[in-house]
Amino acid sequence: MIDPDRFLRDLHKLRSFGASGVGKGVIRPAFSDADIAARKWLWEQFKNAGLEPHFDPTGNLFGLAEGPSVLLGSHSDSQPEGGWLDGALGVIAALEIARASDGGVSVVSFQDEEGRFGGLTGSAIWSGQQTLEQTDLFVDRQGVSFAQARAVLTDQMRDFVDPGRFTGFIEMHIEQGLTLDHSGQKIGVVSEIVGMRDLTITFQGQQNHAGTTQMHLRRDAFQALSAFNALLNERFAEVVTATTVWTIGHVKVSPNAASIVPGQVTFSVQWRDGSSSRLAQMEQIVRQAVADTADAYKMQVSIGAMVGLEPVAMNADIRQSLEASADKVVPDHWQTMPSGALHDATNVSHILPVAMLFVPSIGGISHDFAEDTAEQDLITGLKVLAGAVGVAN
Ligand SMILES: [Zn+2]
């Protein structure tokens, strides 16, 4: 039987490693002293729970159950200014559920999810998305390499864990957005982790004198961007859903002066959605809107290479057990929703069936010392996750 008080105590204990002194904030980037101390404490807890603690060469810390098991967890490193729940919630809930189970539940705390050396580093290497050799050359902002950073754990590191011993992976996480806070629901069962597309576009017009160049003779790149934005919003409206998002960013107007008609503008268009086909449809709209704007404003156009990530669908069976469990714990107070942020589950989906669930973030705030969730909501998440893997809740 899970023990909600013990779960909350452990969560607060983990917060004490790297406590910022501001609210419940933590400063615990991957391989910092606080992170190593937290991982060593977790190592002890895994051992006491009857799991076999196991550091792999990236610093990922597993607590392994004997025989086939379901893997639960998240990450315990933080942003340089982070909250106490981002990642930590999934790890400590997994620990409590493993303790309460009679076997069949393993736990993981992935390393460097928050990107001191790139982002989702530990799960990316474990799932074969990047090699350890490659990653060893990555450096943080101070010039410390991943190889140097992980050397502090060399003594304790063993081989990579064979994913074949796990039947699937479930990551519980705070939402880090406003969906649940606004809907008043207590649990979000994730339908998919959204995909993303990003294009860099340049409109080239004609730079000229802002006093002497008549309006009808101008080829003003800023005006072209402004018209493009309006056209894009109008055309996207026909294909998007309430969860589709898009952003024009990184705008560089040249020469960006009061008395010069701008001759060039470069900007990014990024869009995110849970459906690959909608992402593709939106790309066609972007390209057509660029062409139509260029025609109307006499611009030359260049478009950079597409950067993108595919959406990751959650495993239908695991998702169903999460939904059934949510239905028991908080009937009528849960919903399905996409994840707009990337998580370790994105990488793990390449090697295991994955699913995710969210609890509300107060005010939608995360990656900030102020990040928080009502303790009752944390306990609800714990109960739903326990129920989904057949542990008494
Ligand atoms: Zn996280």
Side-chain angles (χ1 to χ4, degrees):
M1 185 87 183
I2 52 167
D3 179 344
D5 293 331
R6 183 171 56 180
F7 157 72
L8 289 176
R9 267 201 311 278
D10 283 348
L11 210 43
H12 283 282
K13 174 70 185 175
L14 180 53
R15 175 169 77 83
S16 71
F17 296 96
S20 69
V22 182
K24 295 179 185 166
V26 298
I27 301 172
R28 201 167 59 224
F31 294 114
S32 61
D33 291 347
D35 172 59
I36 298 293
R39 278 173 199 273
K40 289 186 171 165
W41 174 77
L42 280 169
W43 198 96
E44 285 297 324
Q45 307 316 303
F46 290 178
K47 195 161 167 243
N48 295 342
L51 303 168
E52 182 200 337
H54 180 119
F55 275 116
D56 79 5
T58 72
N60 293 332
L61 174 61
F62 289 83
L64 299 170
E66 231 175 278
S69 60
V70 63
L71 181 65
L72 307 181
S74 188
H75 60 95
S76 58
D77 62 304
S78 84
Q79 287 285 329
E81 291 193 5
W84 70 300
L85 298 170
D86 182 353
L89 170 63
V91 174
I92 298 298
L95 166 65
E96 179 55 31
I97 292 167
R99 251 184 325 223
S101 76
D102 37 21
V105 177
S106 292
V107 183
V108 65
S109 168
F110 287 112
Q111 182 56 302
D112 196 28
E113 195 272 350
E114 300 291 9
R116 178 177 169 195
F117 297 97
L120 309 175
T121 308
S123 60
I125 297 171
W126 184 52
S127 63
Q129 304 308 297
Q130 65 196 53
T131 67
L132 184 61
E133 291 70 30
Q134 246 175 352
T135 312
D136 268 341
L137 305 173
F138 292 8
V139 288
D140 72 359
R141 284 154 166 263
Q142 277 73 45
V144 178
S145 72
F146 187 69
Q148 287 168 319
R150 71 187 182 88
V152 298
L153 278 175
T154 311
D155 293 354
Q156 278 130 99
M157 282 171 173
R158 293 154 67 192
D159 274 350
F160 286 103
V161 172
D162 174 10
R165 64 185 295 146
F166 305 121
T167 54
F169 173 62
I170 312 179
E171 181 170 10
M172 173 158 72
H173 207 280
I174 51 168
E175 185 205 329
Q176 304 177 289
L178 280 166
T179 306
L180 295 173
D181 196 49
H182 279 174
S183 70
Q185 301 294 48
K186 299 302 177 191
I187 292 288
V189 176
V190 174
S191 47
E192 67 269 315
I193 300 173
V194 304
M196 188 197 81
R197 297 283 186 277
D198 204 310
L199 277 177
T200 297
I201 296 163
T202 299
F203 284 134
Q204 179 72 53
Q206 179 63 58
Q207 183 178 326
N208 214 329
H209 193 294
T212 60
T213 315
Q214 290 178 23
M215 297 309 283
H216 75 283
L217 293 174
R218 291 185 180 198
R219 295 171 58 213
D220 182 326
F222 178 83
Q223 291 299 326
L225 171 58
S226 170
F228 168 77
N229 178 51
L231 188 60
L232 192 67
N233 288 344
E234 188 186 306
R235 292 184 181 175
F236 272 175
E238 289 164 20
V239 303
V240 296
T241 72
T243 56
T244 313
V245 293
W246 63 96
T247 308
I248 290 182
H250 226 264
V251 177
K252 190 164 168 270
V253 185
S254 173
N256 203 19
S259 294
I260 306 178
V261 176
Q264 183 177 304
V265 63
T266 298
F267 56 97
S268 62
V269 184
Q270 184 195 83
W271 60 104
R272 302 184 191 218
D273 190 85
S275 146
S276 291
S277 64
R278 186 171 296 107
L279 289 171
Q281 221 179 345
M282 291 174 77
E283 180 184 350
Q284 282 183 351
I285 290 173
V286 170
R287 290 185 188 276
Q288 192 58 52
V290 167
D292 292 349
T293 306
D295 270 358
Y297 287 80
K298 301 186 202 67
M299 295 287 133
Q300 286 176 317
V301 173
S302 63
I303 301 182
M306 171 73 82
V307 179
L309 282 169
E310 288 308 308
V312 175
M314 298 294 102
N315 176 270
D317 291 339
I318 311 181
R319 188 179 146 183
Q320 209 167 39
S321 29
L322 286 169
E323 292 178 359
S325 180
D327 238 353
K328 277 192 193 152
V329 178
V330 275
D332 303 323
H333 290 286
W334 64 276
Q335 64 177 88
T336 58
M337 59 182 290
S339 168
L342 289 178
H343 293 286
D344 288 311
T346 311
N347 283 326
V348 179
S349 73
H350 292 279
I351 49 173
L352 288 173
V354 300
M356 289 194 73
L357 74 159
F358 287 149
V359 296
S361 292
I362 296 170
I365 293 169
S366 182
H367 289 187
D368 186 281
F369 293 150
E371 168 189 292
D372 210 356
T373 297
E375 294 200 341
Q376 196 50 53
D377 292 347
L378 298 174
I379 293 169
T380 299
L382 174 72
K383 289 183 173 173
V384 171
L385 182 57
V389 298
V391 171
N393 55 4

